[in-house]
Amino acid sequence: MSASVTADTPALDESHDPALTSWVASANATQTDFPIQNLPFGRFRPAGLGGALRVGVAIGDQVLDLSIAASASGWPAEVMPALALLAAGDLNGYMALGRAPQRAVRLALSRALRAGSAMQPALSGALLPQAQAEMALPCEIGDYTDFYTGIHHATTVGTLFRPDNPLLPNYKWVPIGYHGRSSSLVVSGTPVRRPHGQIKGPDHAEPILSPSRRLDHELELGALIGRGNALGDAIGLDAAEAHLFGVVLLNDWSARDVQAWEYQPLGPFLAKNFASTVSPWIVTMDALAPFRAPFVRAAEDPQPLPYLDGAANRASGQLDLVLEVLIQTAAMRAAGRAPHRLSIGRTTEAAYWTFAQLVTHHTVGGCNLRSGDLLGSGTLSGPLPEQGGSMLELSAGGKRALDLPGGETRTFLQDGDTVILRAWGERAGARRIGLGTCSGTVLPAA
Amino acid sequence: MSASVTADTPALDESHDPALTSWVASANATQTDFPIQNLPFGRFRPAGLGGALRVGVAIGDQVLDLSIAASASGWPAEVMPALALLAAGDLNGYMALGRAPQRAVRLALSRALRAGSAMQPALSGALLPQAQAEMALPCEIGDYTDFYTGIHHATTVGTLFRPDNPLLPNYKWVPIGYHGRSSSLVVSGTPVRRPHGQIKGPDHAEPILSPSRRLDHELELGALIGRGNALGDAIGLDAAEAHLFGVVLLNDWSARDVQAWEYQPLGPFLAKNFASTVSPWIVTMDALAPFRAPFVRAAEDPQPLPYLDGAANRASGQLDLVLEVLIQTAAMRAAGRAPHRLSIGRTTEAAYWTFAQLVTHHTVGGCNLRSGDLLGSGTLSGPLPEQGGSMLELSAGGKRALDLPGGETRTFLQDGDTVILRAWGERAGARRIGLGTCSGTVLPAA
C-alpha cells in the first residue's frame, strides 16, 4: 500500500495469511464465507432459549459465543477490556473503541481459533452451530442513511424517471444521500410484506391506495460506523476510514409505483420505509484489508472537491467485492429448484464514491454519526444492462420480462419470491471471504 | 364534540376547568405557559448535579421532579404503575402506555397540584425552579420524520425553487414527508453552528465547499408518538389519534444554498441534518383537548382519499394554536433590546393535513412507529407573506431584506442571531396554555 496511507487504513497482518487454517473444520472448506481470515461479528440468541442478545463471531458453519468464550483462559491481557464489552453483548460499545484494540482482538481471535491453538479445548464449548442461532440485527442502528453511489443505477433509473434529464448536474459532485428509516430495518430471513401506498397511473386523474404493483429489491452494501463524532465536528477524509467498522449486505426494498408518485420534492418515503433487510454478520474493514482497490476518476469526470480527495483514498479507497443477486420463486421452491442468479458484478465498477468519502461528506456540515449508524451505498449496478441491481433496471422499467427457470417470467417481484444478496472478496494471494447472505421473502399485502 | 369521535380522541374533563388554580403560585400567572391545565412532561437534571435524566412536569416556573414526587403518599393506587415508570426516568415507557392510564395520571397530577390539595406539603420538596433544571431532549427519539403540511410554505418555496411548477401534482393527495436525522436533534438552548456544505451559484460552473450563506429557521410543530405499532400493521385514521402523545416546537434549521444544490432527486440531506432544535416540554394531546378545530378541505381542493378521511378527523382533527417566531440579534442583545417578532400565525390556517392523518399515512405501507418517534409538521406559514415561517419566505428568497429594530436588516440568519419559536392555545372558555420556547443561537462556522 502507499506510504501515504494513514495508520488507520486497514493493513495486512498475520491474520490475513491465506495459509491459516482453523481447528473448526468447516472453516477450512473452500467455499465458506467465514474462514479464519474473516471473523465477522454478529448478534444472536440460541434458538429457542430467548434471553438477551449475545455477540458471536462466525467461523465456518459455527458461531463462537463470546458471552462464553471470553471466560476462557489464554486470552492476552491487553484484549480483556474489549472482550468484556463483547461478552456483555455490547457490540456497539466495541465498535466505538477504534482500530487499535479491535485489531488486537482480531489477532487474538485468529490465534485462538487457529489449528493447533492451545485454547481449542476451552473454546470448543463456546461453539454453537449457526443453524441453531437466531440472528438479530448486527448492532443497534440509530440512524440509517442511504446514498446513491451506483452511477450506472443512477443513470438507468434517472432515464426511467426523467427521460430528458437522467443524471442530474449535482451527481458527479455531491455524494447524493438521504435519511432512511431505522425502525423498519430487519435482519436477513425476516419476511417482507408487500406494502400499500398511493399510486397513480399516467392516464388517471387521481391516485388510488393499492398494494404496490412494482415491488423491487436493491442490491447494496452497508457500512456500519465504529467510532462516532461529536455534533459540529467534521471528519476529514484522512480520518474517515478509522470511523468505519465493517460492512453488511443491504436490500433496500422499494415500491417503484409509490416512489414515482410521492418522491418529489423531498425524496422517497413510503416507497422505502416498509422494510430494509440487513445481513447478520458485520465483516470488518480489517478483514477486508486484502480486498481494496484504487479509487480513480474517469478522465471525463470532475475530480472530487478537495475535501473529498486524498492520497490514501486514491490509493486504496475502494472495496473490491463481487456482488450477486439471486431469486427463488415459490414455484422454484416447490419444484426444488436452486435460486437463480439475477445479476453479478463488482463494487469497483459500480460505486462512484468510497465509503470514506461518504463519511466525510455526511459530517462536513457537522452532522454527528454514532456507533452503529448505517450508511447504505445505494444500488450497486454494474455497467452492463444485465448487471442491474434492481428489477427496475433488469426489466427496463417493467417493459422487458425476465425469463426464469421453469418457464416463469418476472418484471417486478411477486408474492412468494425470495431475493438473496451475496458478496465476497476473492483475489490471488488472499483467502476468499464472504459477507454471508441477505435474504427476504415477499408476503402478500395485508 | 361529535358523537363519532372515538374514545381515544382527547376529551375535556375536570383537569381542563379554566377556574382551577394551583398551590404553586407562579402557575396562576395570566401569561404562564404552564398553568395547572397544562402539565407537560420533560426530562432534566438538576443543574450542576449530573446523574441520570429525571422526568418532570412543568408547573408555573417550577418543575415537579417525579423521581421524588412519586414517593409521596396520597396518589391513587391505580396510577402507581405509571408513576413508577416516570419515577424511573422512563418517559418513553410512559408514553407507550396509551390514553387511559395517562389520563388517570393527568387527573392525579391536577388534583395533587390544585390549590387546597392535601398533598401540597409532601410535594413541595419535589419542586425545583425551572431556572435550576438542565433540560434534555424530552424523550428518546428513534426516528424523526419531517412532513410538509404547510401549504403556504410549500407554495412559496416551490415558487422559489421551481418557478414554473410551485405546487407539485402530488401535494394535495399525499402527505409529503421524508426521514430526517435523529442524531442531531438538540434541545432548546443548544447553540447551532453554521454548517459547511457544497454550494453552487447559478453563474458558476462548479460548486465550492463553503459555510452556508443562506442559513434559515423553520417554524414547525412536532408530534411525539405514544404507543407504537408493529412492523406491517397499518394504523387506521380512527385509531391514529390514540398513538399521538403530545407536541413540541421544532426548528428545522436549513441551509438553503446547500439544499438548492443537493436536493434532487432524493431530497434534503446536509441542508437539514446539522441540527434540529426541539422544545423541552411535551404538551400532551390530552392537555390540548380544548384547542381542537374541525378539519375542512376548501371546495377547490380534492377530498382526502378514504384512508385519510374520517368523521372524527373532520370534526376535530386540527390543533388550533397560535405560532410565533422571534429573533434577537447579537446587536439587539448587546443593546438590551427584547426579541423582535418575525411572524405570527395559526396552525389552522397553515396545515393541510392533521397529525392523525400523518400517523395513518406513515404506517399505511406497514412502517412501524416507536414510542418517542418525532413527526414534524413542516413549516407552518400563514397565508400572508408576512406570516412566513422561514426567512426564505419572509425575504422572498433573499431578495427583500427585513428591517429589524436598531437599524439592522436581515435576509437570512447571521452569526449571533437567536431564533425563538413559541406557540400557545387561547380560546374563550379555556385557560391559555403554551408550549414554552424553542430557541437556538447561530454560532460562526468552524
Side-chain angles (χ1 to χ4, degrees):
Chain A
M1 289 194 187
S2 156
S4 63
V5 171
T6 70
D8 282 320
T9 302
L12 297 179
D13 63 26
E14 67 172 70
S15 70
H16 300 94
D17 182 349
L20 291 183
T21 58
S22 173
W23 53 262
V24 181
S26 59
N28 304 322
T30 309
Q31 285 304 310
T32 182
D33 279 346
F34 308 122
I36 193 168
Q37 291 81 1
N38 194 342
L39 303 173
F41 292 91
R43 298 192 306 172
F44 73 102
R45 294 184 179 91
L49 272 191
L53 288 173
R54 309 177 185 193
V55 176
V57 170
I59 179 79
D61 61 8
Q62 304 289 305
V63 182
L64 182 71
D65 181 343
L66 294 176
S67 75
I68 299 171
S71 309
S73 59
W75 297 110
E78 59 162 346
V79 304
M80 293 314 292
L83 270 189
L85 288 172
L86 294 167
D90 184 8
L91 188 50
N92 287 68
Y94 176 75
M95 293 163 71
L97 290 178
R99 281 276 184 277
Q102 289 163 0
R103 284 185 180 158
V105 167
R106 174 177 166 82
L107 199 57
L109 285 166
S110 174
R111 290 174 179 166
L113 292 167
R114 202 171 291 178
S117 163
M119 294 179 73
Q120 176 178 353
L123 294 183
S124 296
L127 289 180
L128 182 76
Q130 284 172 29
Q132 295 173 26
E134 288 172 2
M135 303 304 299
L137 282 178
C139 60
E140 299 292 322
I141 299 172
D143 275 297
Y144 159 37
T145 306
D146 202 19
F147 284 90
Y148 199 51
T149 72
I151 188 167
H152 306 296
H153 172 77
T155 305
T156 306
V157 172
T159 304
L160 295 168
F161 279 66
R162 295 173 304 277
D164 51 332
N165 204 9
L167 208 56
L168 293 166
N170 57 13
Y171 187 85
K172 292 190 173 180
W173 296 97
V174 181
I176 297 292
Y178 67 107
H179 295 112
R181 182 78 192 175
S182 293
S183 70
S184 56
L185 291 166
V186 296
V187 71
S188 177
T190 308
V192 171
R193 193 167 288 286
R194 179 181 300 273
H196 284 75
Q198 283 193 30
I199 63 179
K200 193 183 90 63
D203 303 330
H204 292 89
E206 301 187 355
I208 57 168
L209 181 71
S210 166
S212 172
R213 300 161 185 177
R214 292 164 73 93
L215 183 62
D216 204 353
H217 65 272
E218 289 195 338
L219 167 65
E220 302 199 20
L221 280 182
L224 291 160
I225 297 298
R227 261 193 301 133
N229 62 306
L231 184 63
D233 286 354
I235 298 174
L237 188 61
D238 283 345
E241 186 79 36
H243 291 266
L244 294 166
F245 179 73
V247 297
V248 288
L249 287 157
L250 173 65
N251 184 345
D252 190 40
W253 305 90
S254 299
R256 300 300 179 189
D257 39 9
V258 176
Q259 185 175 356
W261 172 235
E262 78 172 359
Y263 90 105
Q264 286 191 320
L266 298 182
F269 179 46
L270 297 192
K272 303 273 196 176
N273 72 6
F274 56 95
S276 309
T277 305
V278 173
S279 60
W281 295 108
I282 310 175
V283 175
T284 64
M285 298 308 283
D286 284 327
L288 291 166
F291 307 102
R292 304 292 294 225
F295 169 79
V296 183
R297 275 272 175 272
E300 68 270 24
D301 290 335
Q303 290 302 309
L305 289 185
Y307 79 102
L308 293 174
D309 198 9
N313 192 62
R314 289 180 184 218
S316 63
Q318 288 267 32
L319 290 176
D320 181 10
L321 299 174
V322 180
L323 301 161
E324 186 183 38
V325 185
L326 305 124
I327 189 170
Q328 190 182 41
T329 69
M332 290 167 66
R333 211 163 27 246
R337 289 184 197 275
H340 170 76
R341 180 188 287 165
L342 283 175
S343 71
I344 188 164
R346 253 194 139 81
T347 50
T348 47
E349 296 186 320
Y352 192 77
W353 303 100
T354 68
F355 277 122
Q357 287 171 318
L358 302 187
V359 166
T360 293
H361 182 68
H362 204 314
T363 61
V364 73
C367 181
N368 54 327
L369 302 175
R370 295 177 292 194
S371 174
D373 282 353
L374 175 63
L375 309 188
S377 62
T379 308
L380 295 174
S381 303
L384 303 174
E386 64 269 28
Q387 291 182 307
S390 67
M391 298 301 291
L392 182 69
E393 293 159 271
L394 293 172
S395 73
K399 292 195 282 289
R400 187 179 62 221
L402 298 180
D403 291 318
L404 300 183
E408 290 186 280
T409 62
R410 283 293 180 278
T411 49
F412 292 94
L413 299 174
Q414 299 293 319
D415 296 343
D417 288 354
T418 301
V419 176
I420 303 158
L421 312 183
R422 301 179 61 214
W424 60 90
E426 56 184 3
R427 271 193 177 179
R431 178 69 154 98
R432 176 194 182 283
I433 67 172
L435 270 63
T437 61
C438 177
S439 83
T441 300
V442 177
L443 298 182
Chain B
M1 289 194 187
S2 155
S4 61
V5 170
T6 71
D8 281 320
T9 300
L12 297 178
D13 64 24
E14 68 171 71
S15 70
H16 302 94
D17 182 347
L20 291 183
T21 57
S22 173
W23 53 262
V24 181
S26 58
N28 305 322
T30 309
Q31 285 303 308
T32 181
D33 279 346
F34 308 122
I36 192 168
Q37 290 81 359
N38 195 341
L39 304 172
F41 293 89
R43 299 191 304 170
F44 73 100
R45 294 184 179 91
L49 271 193
L53 288 174
R54 309 179 186 192
V55 176
V57 169
I59 179 78
D61 61 8
Q62 304 288 306
V63 183
L64 181 70
D65 181 343
L66 294 176
S67 75
I68 299 173
S71 309
S73 59
W75 297 110
E78 58 161 347
V79 305
M80 292 314 293
L83 270 188
L85 287 171
L86 295 167
D90 184 9
L91 187 49
N92 289 68
Y94 176 75
M95 292 163 71
L97 291 178
R99 280 276 185 280
Q102 289 163 0
R103 284 185 180 158
V105 167
R106 175 177 165 82
L107 200 56
L109 285 166
S110 174
R111 290 173 178 167
L113 291 167
R114 201 170 292 177
S117 162
M119 292 180 73
Q120 175 177 353
L123 294 182
S124 295
L127 290 179
L128 181 77
Q130 284 173 27
Q132 294 173 27
E134 290 172 1
M135 302 305 297
L137 282 178
C139 61
E140 300 292 322
I141 300 172
D143 276 297
Y144 158 38
T145 305
D146 202 20
F147 284 90
Y148 200 52
T149 71
I151 190 168
H152 306 297
H153 172 76
T155 305
T156 306
V157 171
T159 303
L160 295 168
F161 278 66
R162 297 173 302 276
D164 51 333
N165 203 10
L167 206 57
L168 293 166
N170 57 13
Y171 187 84
K172 292 190 173 179
W173 297 96
V174 183
I176 297 290
Y178 68 106
H179 296 112
R181 182 80 192 173
S182 292
S183 70
S184 54
L185 291 167
V186 297
V187 70
S188 177
T190 309
V192 171
R193 192 167 290 285
R194 178 182 300 273
H196 284 76
Q198 283 195 31
I199 63 179
K200 193 182 91 64
D203 303 332
H204 292 89
E206 301 187 355
I208 57 168
L209 182 72
S210 164
S212 172
R213 298 160 186 177
R214 291 164 74 93
L215 183 62
D216 204 352
H217 65 272
E218 288 195 339
L219 166 65
E220 302 198 19
L221 280 183
L224 291 160
I225 297 298
R227 261 193 301 133
N229 62 306
L231 184 62
D233 287 353
I235 299 174
L237 188 63
D238 282 345
E241 186 81 34
H243 291 266
L244 293 167
F245 179 73
V247 297
V248 290
L249 288 157
L250 173 64
N251 184 344
D252 190 40
W253 304 90
S254 299
R256 300 298 181 191
D257 39 8
V258 176
Q259 184 175 356
W261 173 234
E262 78 172 1
Y263 90 104
Q264 285 191 320
L266 299 182
F269 180 46
L270 298 192
K272 302 274 197 176
N273 72 6
F274 56 95
S276 309
T277 305
V278 173
S279 60
W281 294 106
I282 309 174
V283 175
T284 64
M285 298 308 283
D286 284 325
L288 290 166
F291 307 102
R292 305 290 296 226
F295 169 79
V296 183
R297 276 270 175 273
E300 69 269 24
D301 290 335
Q303 289 303 309
L305 289 185
Y307 78 103
L308 294 174
D309 198 10
N313 193 60
R314 289 180 184 219
S316 62
Q318 288 268 33
L319 290 176
D320 180 11
L321 299 174
V322 180
L323 301 161
E324 185 183 38
V325 185
L326 306 121
I327 189 170
Q328 188 182 44
T329 69
M332 290 166 68
R333 211 160 30 243
R337 288 185 198 275
H340 170 75
R341 179 187 289 166
L342 283 175
S343 71
I344 187 163
R346 255 194 138 82
T347 50
T348 46
E349 295 186 321
Y352 191 77
W353 303 101
T354 68
F355 276 122
Q357 287 172 317
L358 302 187
V359 165
T360 292
H361 182 67
H362 204 314
T363 61
V364 74
C367 181
N368 55 328
L369 303 175
R370 296 177 292 194
S371 173
D373 282 352
L374 175 63
L375 309 188
S377 61
T379 308
L380 294 174
S381 303
L384 304 174
E386 63 269 28
Q387 290 182 307
S390 67
M391 296 302 288
L392 182 70
E393 292 158 272
L394 293 172
S395 73
K399 291 195 283 288
R400 186 179 64 218
L402 297 181
D403 292 317
L404 301 183
E408 289 185 281
T409 63
R410 283 292 180 279
T411 49
F412 292 94
L413 298 174
Q414 300 292 319
D415 296 342
D417 287 355
T418 301
V419 176
I420 303 157
L421 312 184
R422 300 178 63 211
W424 60 90
E426 56 182 5
R427 272 193 176 178
R431 178 66 154 98
R432 176 194 184 281
I433 68 172
L435 269 63
T437 61
C438 178
S439 82
T441 300
V442 178
L443 299 181

